[in-house]
Amino acid sequence: MSDIFYKSVAELEKMLDAREISAVELLKIFAKRKRDVDAKVGAFISADEVSALEAAEKSDRRRAEGRKLGHLDGIPVGLKDNLAVKGQPLTCASKMLEKFVSPYTGTVLSKLEGQGAVFWGRLNMDEFAMGSSCETSALAKTRNPWDLSRIPGGSSGGSAASVAAGECACSLGSDTGGSIRQPAALCGVVGLKPTYGLVSRYGLAAFASSLDQIGPLARSVEDAALLLRAIAGYDRLDSTSFKAEIPDYPSLLSREAFKGKKIGVPKEYFGAGVDPDVRRLVDEAISKCVELGARAEEISLPHTDLAIPVYYIIATAEASSNLARYDGIRYTHRSPDARDATDIYYKSRAEGFGEEVKRRIILGSYVLSSGYYDAYYLRAQKVRTLIRSDFEKAFGGVDVIMTPTSPTTAFKVGEKTSDPLSMYLSDICTINVNLAGLPALSVPCGFSNGLPVGLQMIGRAFGEADLLSCAYAYEKAAGFAGITPNI
């Protein structure tokens, strides 16, 4: 069982059902794996092994009594540290919330508890999910399991690295501009960003409320489908939640999914800035899908080049509003040097927030300020509508859109920290999807100089069933799912 930590959730479920292993034994294997490799990888901010073992023991008792709760019963699931679980830390990888413990459990986490999942640790992230490399975290340093000198991607870098390193069976992350898909691509795992409104945001520490979505990171498309089925659904506690029918995603997966399908290949995603090796591997992946029965044609998404400025106006504006609550007065860091109320506000925020968070708060406050709202924020929202319209027109003629997930493979630690604009361009292939509210996933499609490359598939709104099925068909044909790093 030395490599059990690299088995899929579906495989682990079968082993648990057959009594080949117990949930307690499984958790101990992952706990040992964490002790063995996390000093190098740094995926975890914290882990409560005692509480996790108690949950695993309960899972074993349920199985023994014939009361299995669901497909995830007894499965260790890692959580990005911006997801609320009562009694667990909720730091957002920031000094501002370093000592904060959540007083409630979010809807998605309650659903996973209802499935019997074992919450296994809090995973590192860019501070308040603001970043593309996991380097803005104030509490941990995460490395890419494929090359420890490189970044894992962000902001869900710990979530992706923990799965790639075999430290948990699967994990949850959040995606505001590519923060699930980009680290999934750079770490060689599957990452899914659902349609906006399909998964409740209640219990997710807000970055940009009109863009944020919770989603799974997993070893296989089937595992991502299992997780999505567990967490999707309407929630009255989330005003942006949508009443949509939730299919049985895993049962709809098919190796024949591409037969008769039309693939759209947007020319704007394959231009300057995309590494030639990345482009070659994505082209080969699209050709593989054509071999499986699809037709591919070039399409245009003409407003793609406006995505970066539009995103960084809308996202920072919403961030400046959402982060106003972290003021040093209630549950956040309070400066010990503060002399009066003004000092508390100023010094606590100056000490508690990192440089990237401060940068985005300042920019967001500026674009919302009197005299600039119409020129920046309102105009950005109008262009966002044009971006959404581009996708609507494209899906009038194609079934799925395919692009690179990231324009490059994982870059070196520290390579872009002094150049924020270069860092922002890391999300150039993923941001449009969030602005349009569409579902998209990243699936491994090969390696460039030993580093993983991801293929991004974009689907119609609430078309996760077709999207996952296409990804499953490609994954099975391509054969990259079982390849793991040597840490």
Side-chain angles (χ1 to χ4, degrees):
M1 292 189 181
S2 60
D3 63 345
I4 195 170
F5 44 77
Y6 275 133
K7 291 189 178 297
S8 69
V9 170
E11 291 171 325
L12 293 174
E13 182 191 7
K14 289 177 182 177
M15 293 179 69
L16 288 165
D17 288 346
R19 306 293 197 273
E20 294 175 22
I21 192 171
S22 70
V24 168
E25 290 170 335
L26 182 60
L27 180 68
K28 287 181 177 178
I29 288 172
F30 279 107
K32 183 180 184 302
R33 178 65 172 174
K34 175 185 175 296
R35 289 192 293 271
D36 289 344
V37 304
D38 205 56
K40 297 177 182 178
V41 177
F44 285 74
I45 291 177
S46 63
D48 185 349
E49 190 171 339
V50 173
S51 295
L53 280 170
E54 290 176 359
E57 288 169 357
K58 291 178 181 178
S59 175
D60 285 334
R61 287 197 293 271
R62 285 194 297 270
R63 265 194 172 82
E65 297 167 1
R67 297 187 297 108
K68 176 184 170 185
L69 293 177
H71 294 281
L72 298 173
D73 206 339
I75 301 294
V77 180
L79 305 177
K80 187 174 180 178
D81 208 15
N82 60 352
L83 299 169
V85 177
K86 186 175 182 178
Q88 289 194 10
L90 180 62
T91 71
C92 294
S94 176
K95 290 182 179 177
M96 185 62 83
L97 292 174
E98 189 171 8
K99 298 179 181 179
F100 181 67
V101 175
S102 177
Y104 75 106
T105 296
T107 298
V108 162
L109 293 312
S110 294
K111 288 187 174 188
L112 288 183
E113 283 183 328
Q115 285 262 323
V118 175
F119 294 152
W120 171 229
R122 312 290 303 184
L123 300 170
N124 196 28
M125 56 185 284
D126 282 302
E127 184 181 7
F128 282 102
M130 298 180 191
S132 305
S133 65
C134 217
E135 292 176 284
T136 69
S137 170
L139 305 182
K141 301 296 180 186
T142 304
R143 303 301 178 102
N144 193 310
W146 291 91
D147 181 344
L148 298 173
S149 69
R150 296 177 183 270
I151 58 97
S155 64
S156 305
S159 298
S162 65
V163 175
E167 297 183 74
C168 58
C170 56
S171 66
L172 290 184
S174 65
D175 193 311
T176 306
S179 291
I180 289 174
R181 291 160 286 151
Q182 186 249 21
L186 301 190
C187 289
V189 299
V190 176
L192 170 66
K193 179 253 171 214
T195 304
Y196 185 80
L198 182 68
V199 177
S200 172
R201 293 186 300 110
Y202 180 74
L204 170 66
F207 163 14
S209 301
S210 74
L211 301 166
D212 298 338
Q213 273 289 269
I214 299 169
L217 293 103
R219 299 192 210 298
S220 70
V221 174
E222 183 181 12
D223 285 0
L226 284 167
L227 273 166
L228 182 62
R229 181 176 60 185
I231 65 176
Y234 174 73
D235 178 20
R236 63 181 181 81
L237 298 174
D238 175 7
S239 62
T240 62
S241 182
F242 189 81
K243 290 184 178 179
E245 183 180 346
I246 308 302
D248 183 11
Y249 298 112
S251 70
L252 298 175
L253 300 177
S254 169
R255 291 175 183 251
E256 309 297 316
F258 277 112
K259 289 191 175 179
K261 288 283 197 300
K262 186 180 288 187
I263 299 169
V265 184
K267 61 185 179 181
E268 292 84 2
Y269 285 73
F270 291 84
V274 177
D275 181 89
D277 241 14
V278 170
R279 176 168 185 165
R280 175 181 61 81
L281 289 167
V282 171
D283 284 341
E284 289 175 1
I286 295 171
S287 296
K288 175 65 72 174
C289 297
V290 171
E291 291 175 14
L292 295 172
R295 289 181 297 138
E297 66 175 45
E298 185 177 83
I299 62 171
S300 178
L301 299 171
H303 295 95
T304 296
D305 62 331
L306 299 176
I308 292 286
V310 167
Y311 173 83
Y312 280 99
I313 289 172
I314 293 173
T316 56
E318 294 182 9
S320 73
S321 176
N322 281 324
L323 270 63
R325 71 194 72 175
Y326 305 113
D327 54 12
I329 299 295
R330 291 161 289 184
Y331 45 79
T332 62
H333 167 78
R334 178 178 293 190
S335 173
D337 300 324
R339 296 167 297 176
D340 52 32
T342 302
D343 257 8
I344 290 175
Y345 288 129
Y346 178 80
K347 291 184 177 179
S348 298
R349 291 165 68 85
E351 295 167 4
F353 288 138
E355 293 305 309
E356 181 61 29
V357 175
K358 293 175 188 175
R359 183 182 293 118
R360 298 198 190 195
I361 290 173
I362 291 169
L363 178 58
S365 298
Y366 176 78
V367 300
L368 290 176
S369 61
S370 177
Y372 296 100
Y373 177 91
D374 289 351
Y376 292 105
Y377 185 73
L378 185 59
R379 183 172 294 182
Q381 291 288 15
K382 290 178 179 179
V383 178
R384 181 182 189 173
T385 300
L386 296 177
I387 291 170
R388 186 183 297 114
S389 296
D390 286 347
F391 280 105
E392 289 173 357
K393 291 175 184 176
F395 280 117
V398 303
D399 299 294
V400 62
I401 294 172
M402 294 189 182
T403 77
T405 307
S406 171
T408 67
T409 54
F411 47 86
K412 293 280 188 179
V413 172
E415 184 177 325
K416 298 186 179 183
T417 51
S418 61
D419 186 357
L421 291 179
S422 175
M423 185 76 79
Y424 296 165
L425 290 172
S426 300
D427 296 328
I428 195 168
C429 296
T430 54
I431 280 173
N432 274 2
V433 173
N434 296 79
L435 292 170
L438 298 175
L441 60 76
S442 179
V443 62
C445 68
F447 295 85
S448 173
N449 298 315
L451 296 171
V453 173
L455 167 69
Q456 179 175 227
M457 297 187 185
I458 306 168
R460 294 185 176 92
F462 301 102
E464 278 80 357
D466 283 342
L467 186 64
L468 285 162
S469 199
C470 287
Y472 177 80
Y474 169 74
E475 178 186 69
K476 292 301 181 184
F480 295 115
I483 304 175
T484 56
N486 181 22
I487 303 173

